[in-house]
Amino acid sequence: MITRLFVKASIIAGFLIFSFTATSADLSSRQSALKSIQAQINQQQNSLKDTSKQREKLISLLKSDEKAIAKAAQQVNQSQKALSEVNIKLKELDKQQIDLAKLKLSQQDTLSKQLSSAYLAGNHDYTKMMLNQQNPATVERMLAYYQFLNNARIDAIQQLKQTSIDLNKVKQLQVTAQQKLNALVIDQKQQALQLTKEQGQRQQTLTQLQRTLSSKGAELEQLQIEEASLKRIVQQAMVAAKSNPTMDGLLNQKAKLTWPTKGRVSKRFGSSRSGQIVWKGIVLSAPEGQNINAVASGKVIYADWLRGFGMVLVIDHGKGYMSLYGHAQTLLRQPGDMVKTGESIALVGRSGGQSEPGLYFEIRNKGKAVDPAYYCR
C-alpha cells in the first residue's frame, strides 16, 4: 500500500516537474519572440527616421536645384528679350540704311545735273558781262541767278556729305548690333546648356525623393506638411497686405478676368487630392517656359520657393483678395513690385517636385480659397 502510494507520488511529482519545465521553455520562447519583435520595431522606427531625414535632405536639395533652374531660366528669358530688342534695332538700322542709300543716290543725281548745267553754261566773266551789258538791271538779275545756282550746288554738296556721314554711322551701328547679337546667341546657348544641366540634376533628386514617398501614408504626410506651409505663407501675405495702399480688389471682377496662362485644367478646385485633402486651387497643364500673367493689377507680396509648390508668387489685389501662382520655372517679379493686369510675372514650369509642366493657381479672399472659375472667364 505504502509502495503504491510512493509510486503514485513519484508519478505526480514527475508530471509537475515536466509541466514546470515545459512552461518555462514556452515562456522563454515567447520572451525571445517578443525581443525579436521589439528589435524589428526599433529597426523600423530607425529606418523611418532615416527615411524622413533622407527625405528632408532631398527636399532641401530639390529646393536648391529648382532655384538654380529658376536662375538659369531667368537668364535665358532676359537673353531672349535682349535678342528680340537687338533684332528690332537691326531691322530699324537696315531700313535707315536703305533710306539713306536712296537719298544719297538722289542727291548725287541732283548734284550731277547741277554740275552738268554749270558746265554747259560755261564760265562767266562777270566783269566782262557788266562792261558789255547795256542794262544794269539785267546784269543784276544774272548775277543773282548765278549766285542762286552756286548756293544750290553748295547746299547739295553739304547735304550729300551729311548723308554720307549718317550712312557710315548707321553701318557702324549695324556692325556693333550684329556683334552684340552674335555674343547674345553664344551666351544663350551656354545658358540653355546650363539650364539643361540643372534640369538633369533636379530629375535625379526628384527620382530619389519619390522613392521615399512610395507609401500612401508618406505621401499624405507630405501633402499635409505642404498644405501647412502654404497656409503659413498665406497668413504672412495677409499681414503684408494690410500695409499696402487700398486697391479695388476682385469683388467686381467675377467672370471678367482672363486666365493667367493658356492651358488645360488638369486639377479642379475642390476635387480630392489625397484622403481628406482637396485642391484649394486649380492646375493648368501648359508648356514649360510659357508666360504667366497677372490676372489683375496689384502688389507682389511674396516671391520665393515654397515646399510642394516650388517657385511661388503672390499678388495682393486689395480688399482682402490675393492671387497665387505656383510650380513656376522662374519668377520675373520681386516682392514690392507693382504689376498691371496681363503683365508677365513668371514662366510655366514644374517646380515643387512636379513631373509635368503646369501652373498651380489660387484666388483667396481674406485667406479663404475660392474657386478661380468664378472670376476667370
Side-chain angles (χ1 to χ4, degrees), residues 234-252:
V234 169
Q235 288 172 342
Q236 290 175 1
M238 287 175 66
V239 172
K242 289 180 180 178
S243 62
N244 290 335
T246 303
M247 289 178 281
D248 296 335
L250 303 177
L251 184 62
N252 299 321

Side-chain angles (χ1 to χ4, degrees), residues 160-178:
L160 181 59
K161 184 179 178 181
Q162 187 60 48
T163 300
S164 297
I165 292 171
D166 292 342
L167 187 58
N168 288 331
K169 283 183 179 178
V170 167
K171 286 180 178 179
Q172 186 57 46
L173 287 171
Q174 281 179 309
V175 171
T176 304
Q178 188 63 53

Side-chain angles (χ1 to χ4, degrees), residues 117-142:
S117 298
Y119 176 78
L120 291 172
N123 294 323
H124 300 283
D125 188 336
Y126 297 115
T127 304
K128 190 180 289 185
M129 286 173 59
M130 292 177 67
L131 292 172
N132 294 336
Q133 182 58 255
Q134 298 294 325
N135 189 348
T138 302
V139 174
E140 188 176 353
R141 283 199 300 271
M142 289 299 293

Side-chain angles (χ1 to χ4, degrees), residues 31-42:
Q31 286 176 338
S32 178
L34 180 60
K35 287 179 180 179
S36 177
I37 291 170
Q38 287 175 337
Q40 288 179 22
I41 290 171
N42 291 332

Side-chain angles (χ1 to χ4, degrees), residues 303-370:
D304 204 346
W305 190 90
L306 180 63
R307 181 170 178 163
F309 298 91
M311 301 304 295
V312 172
L313 187 141
V314 181
I315 300 175
D316 172 36
H317 303 289
K319 309 291 186 184
Y321 285 93
M322 63 180 68
S323 57
L324 181 148
Y325 312 78
H327 299 328
Q329 183 186 57
T330 189
L331 306 176
L332 305 179
R333 294 292 179 270
Q334 298 297 322
D337 289 351
M338 298 300 296
V339 296
K340 297 178 181 178
T341 304
E343 188 176 347
S344 181
I345 55 172
L347 301 179
V348 172
R350 59 182 80 197
S351 60
Q354 300 303 299
S355 56
E356 297 296 330
L359 165 67
Y360 177 70
F361 175 55
E362 278 190 13
I363 290 180
R364 291 192 177 235
N365 182 17
K366 296 178 181 177
K368 183 180 179 182
V370 294

Side-chain angles (χ1 to χ4, degrees), residues 68-74 76 189-200 288 329:
I69 288 172
K71 184 179 179 181
Q74 191 173 52
V76 170
K189 285 180 179 178
Q190 292 175 343
Q191 290 162 1
L193 287 173
Q194 183 64 27
L195 179 58
T196 302
K197 179 183 175 182
E198 299 294 353
Q199 287 173 332
E288 194 163 14
Q329 183 186 57

Side-chain angles (χ1 to χ4, degrees), residues 47-57 212 221:
S47 178
L48 285 171
K49 287 179 181 178
D50 291 341
T51 302
S52 181
K53 287 179 181 178
Q54 183 188 9
R55 187 185 305 147
E56 292 303 315
K57 286 181 180 179
T212 68
E221 180 187 359

